[in-house]
Amino acid sequence: MEERGPPAAAAGDDDGNEDPPQSEMQLVLRPPPPPFPGANTYVVQIPKDQIYRVPPPENALIVERHRNPENKKKSPCCTIRCLIIGAIVFSLCLILFITLLSLSLTVKPKEPKFSISNVHVKNPKSKSDTGKNSHPGYEVSVKVNNPNGHGINYEGSEGASLLLKEKSIGKGKFPLKKQEKDSSATVKLVLDGSKGALPREVEKSIENTNSKMHLPLTLKMDLSVKVKGFIKTWKMETEVECHFQVSTLGKGTKVLQQKCEAKFKG
């Protein structure tokens, strides 16, 4: 019996490999180009059914719009809402401005407050002095408090008078010109003795320091008060009247009790 060998290969299958299907990628090595400094060049062949179409540029713009929603046009509702909020804020600011303006034009400043700190007799009349027209002078220390949030100008004030039972015993000027807001100041009124006969009560109080008779006195001042606000400047004539008692007009004078009132005229 004859031995049979393996079947002969087909004419087209000399290399023992089958042709690759057309749908697969083929890598073909072409002859190298002329030598140059570098590497080899390869050509990649892709089947037609695997070539993808490049989208047009308009599609890229559509995608960008979807990715960035803030670039979308605002809706009419949002615009109307913003306008309403702006109108409300403007109305509130307008109401606040009108309120402050009304208060600054209608609310008057407060009167300054006064109090007597000390009384001192200058050049007291001696027992050997028999002249009827010889009168001592007086120094009255007054504390002035400005309760307003604005400064006060006292320029143009008429002056001050010291009285005993409605009779003037000394006159002078109010020395304070200006005062800062929310501040206190102590001023010294220098009063010259009035002409005429000196009241007997004053003489006894000056000569007798141990007298138990308290001397009632009154200090009156006519002041011109100017308060400059944010918009309006208030100018008011002010009457100040202080009723007080002193232990003596000699050495060791003490103010025992007092009551001061300041009132705007008109």
Side-chain angles (χ1 to χ4, degrees):
M1 175 181 283
E2 296 181 357
E3 294 180 0
R4 295 181 180 180
D13 297 334
D14 294 339
D15 53 358
N17 296 327
E18 296 181 355
D19 294 337
Q22 294 183 357
S23 60
E24 296 182 359
M25 298 175 59
Q26 296 181 359
L27 182 64
V28 180
L29 180 63
R30 290 187 176 183
F36 66 92
N40 295 330
T41 302
Y42 297 90
V43 177
V44 179
Q45 295 182 353
I46 302 175
K48 292 182 179 180
D49 56 354
Q50 294 186 10
I51 298 177
Y52 298 97
R53 184 173 61 90
V54 178
E58 292 79 4
N59 293 4
L61 296 177
I62 296 174
V63 173
E64 288 297 328
R65 290 175 184 175
H66 286 284
R67 288 180 179 177
N68 302 320
E70 64 273 6
N71 294 333
K72 296 181 180 179
K73 294 183 179 180
K74 295 182 179 180
S75 62
C77 295
C78 181
T79 304
I80 295 174
R81 189 181 299 110
C82 294
L83 292 176
I84 293 175
I85 295 175
I88 293 174
V89 173
F90 176 78
S91 300
L92 292 176
C93 294
L94 183 61
I95 293 173
L96 180 61
F97 174 76
I98 294 175
T99 302
L100 294 177
L101 179 62
S102 301
L103 291 175
S104 62
L105 294 177
T106 57
V107 178
K108 290 185 178 181
K110 298 179 181 179
E111 299 91 343
K113 300 182 182 299
F114 300 84
S115 61
I116 307 297
S117 301
N118 190 26
V119 179
H120 175 65
V121 179
K122 296 175 58 179
N123 302 321
K125 179 181 177 181
S126 63
K127 294 182 180 180
S128 60
D129 190 357
T130 57
K132 292 184 179 180
N133 295 329
S134 177
H135 286 270
Y138 307 90
E139 288 184 355
V140 181
S141 298
V142 181
K143 184 178 180 180
V144 186
N145 179 36
N146 176 19
N148 297 288
H150 304 279
I152 295 180
N153 190 325
Y154 295 98
E155 293 181 359
S157 298
E158 295 183 5
S161 299
L162 184 64
L163 301 95
L164 172 66
K165 296 179 180 180
E166 300 300 325
K167 182 177 181 179
S168 176
I169 60 175
K171 290 184 178 181
K173 294 183 179 180
F174 186 74
L176 187 61
K177 300 299 182 182
K178 295 181 180 181
Q179 188 175 9
E180 298 295 330
K181 63 179 182 180
D182 298 320
S183 63
S184 297
T186 300
V187 297
K188 184 177 291 185
L189 301 178
V190 179
L191 308 175
D192 297 328
S194 301
K195 296 181 179 180
L198 186 67
R200 182 59 181 167
E201 295 92 333
V202 176
E203 288 188 28
K204 287 183 177 181
S205 182
I206 293 174
E207 294 174 357
N208 189 0
T209 58
N210 296 324
S211 176
K212 295 182 180 180
M213 183 182 65
H214 301 157
L215 191 64
L217 299 173
T218 301
L219 178 66
K220 290 185 178 182
M221 295 180 290
D222 293 325
L223 306 179
S224 177
V225 175
K226 296 179 183 177
V227 181
K228 186 176 182 181
F230 293 108
I231 300 176
K232 181 178 179 180
T233 299
W234 296 88
K235 182 178 179 182
M236 295 157 290
E237 301 299 324
T238 308
E239 291 181 347
V240 182
E241 191 167 327
C242 293
H243 299 274
F244 61 100
Q245 288 185 357
V246 294
S247 58
T248 178
L249 290 179
K251 294 181 179 180
T253 303
K254 294 181 180 180
V255 179
L256 302 177
Q257 59 182 0
Q258 61 176 300
K259 182 181 180 182
C260 293
E261 293 182 354
K263 294 181 181 180
F264 292 142
K265 295 180 181 179

